[in-house]
Structure formats: C-alpha cells, structure tokens
Amino acid sequence: LASLRLDDVDGSYFVRDNVLHVVPKKSQTRKRKAGPSRLRWDLREHPVLAALIQEAREDSIRYGRCPYVISALPERGTMRARNAKKHHAQVLPDYISKQFAKVRARVIEETELFEDYDEKELPGIHEVRALGSWLLKQSKADQKAVQELMAHTDEKMTAMYQSDHEE
C-alpha cells in the first residue's frame, strides 16, 4: 500500500488511464515461468476505489505533488525516516500499521469492542484483510473475484488467508 503511486515511474504500483496496476513484490522476487503477476483494476468498475484515488490526487496537490496514493504531512520525523523517503509526504509501511492501531484503539475506547483482549490478541491490518476474505467466501462470493481483490496470484494463497476464522 505504501508503494502505490499515482504515476507510472515505479512500474510496479501505479494508476494510469483509469486503471490501477499492481505487480506484487513477492511476485517479482519469485522465479515464475510466466514472469511476475500483473494485476489490474479498472476504476470505472470500482467506484469506491476510484473515489479514493481521486482523493489521493487532491492530497497530492496539497502536499506538493506527492506521487504516492497514501500520503501525509509528517508531524515529526527521524533522520532515518527522512532518508528512506523519496518525497516528504510519502508514508512508510509502518505508518499504515501504526495508523490502523490508532483507529483500532479509538474504536475500542468508543465501543468497548475487544475490551477483554490483551494487546497481542488484537487484530492487525492483515488479520482484518484476511477476515474480509473469509467473510466474502462465507457470502458465496466468486472465489476468483476474491482472489483478484486480495491481489493473490494463486488460489492456494487466498484459501490460506480464508482459513481459521470460524472462531
């Protein structure tokens, strides 16, 4: 998510001609006969995603033409973080996890959801993503569509994400 760009400079995660293109990093590093997987979502068929991309474009202008879909002006930063960024409003992967944890904490505070759980038992962003995949499976969604949504190149990977959610 942190690598997704509004331009096609990277060639792995970008938006061009109303289409979101993603070449998963794992797919790039594995030796596959067919080469890396290339996933595409036509934004005309996904209006919620299109609205998010449009919002990202507006943020980009506000943040000095930040080329990243997910961006934020830094509140404060370390030298290491500044050196890791290509643009001052770029967010690093741990930022997304930390923001998710902040929102989760606010939800717990306001709803008392998960109040009996230890910190280590609370769901992270990847667990919620996996749960979403399982819920789609339970609703009899087309498994190929779920696989595409999850950006998985392999049905086995989608099935793995969908396992162990009964509890």
Side-chain angles (χ1 to χ4, degrees):
L1 290 174
S3 301
L4 186 59
R5 296 176 64 105
L6 294 165
D7 58 24
D8 59 0
V9 169
D10 180 311
S12 296
Y13 304 91
F14 63 93
V15 178
R16 183 185 337 130
D17 300 329
N18 248 353
V19 176
L20 170 60
H21 301 263
V22 175
V23 180
K25 290 239 187 280
K26 286 181 183 177
S27 170
Q28 292 174 11
T29 57
R30 291 189 179 143
K31 304 254 189 272
R32 296 180 62 228
K33 277 186 182 179
S37 299
R38 300 184 184 286
L39 307 168
R40 292 172 195 79
W41 292 271
D42 187 330
L43 297 178
R44 292 172 293 245
E45 296 173 15
H46 301 280
V48 173
L49 184 56
L52 290 170
I53 297 294
Q54 181 57 37
E55 186 178 324
R57 290 184 192 288
E58 292 166 10
D59 284 345
S60 170
I61 292 167
R62 210 174 11 258
Y63 300 155
R65 299 258 179 226
C66 182
Y68 294 91
V69 171
I70 299 175
S71 59
L73 291 177
E75 294 173 12
R76 64 188 193 312
T78 63
M79 185 62 78
R80 192 177 113 244
R82 279 192 291 275
N83 290 339
K85 293 180 176 185
K86 294 178 181 161
H87 187 277
H88 71 276
Q90 175 185 1
V91 300
L92 299 175
D94 69 321
Y95 174 86
I96 296 169
S97 295
K98 287 176 182 175
Q99 291 302 311
F100 179 86
K102 283 182 182 179
V103 170
R104 183 187 62 207
R106 198 169 67 226
V107 167
I108 291 169
E109 193 176 289
E110 294 174 6
T111 66
E112 299 178 1
L113 224 108
F114 301 113
E115 65 180 358
D116 297 331
Y117 287 72
D118 291 333
E119 181 71 26
K120 291 179 182 179
E121 295 176 311
L122 294 173
I125 193 167
H126 289 95
E127 287 85 8
V128 171
R129 182 173 184 262
L131 177 61
S133 176
W134 180 79
L135 290 169
L136 286 169
K137 179 181 179 182
Q138 297 309 301
S139 71
K140 308 291 187 229
D142 177 64
Q143 190 69 348
K144 281 287 187 193
V146 175
Q147 180 182 335
E148 178 185 336
L149 183 63
M150 297 291 291
H152 291 155
T153 57
D154 184 298
E155 286 180 40
K156 290 178 187 174
M157 179 61 71
T158 304
M160 185 188 81
Y161 265 74
Q162 293 171 332
S163 64
D164 299 328
H165 289 285
E166 290 76 18
E167 198 178 312

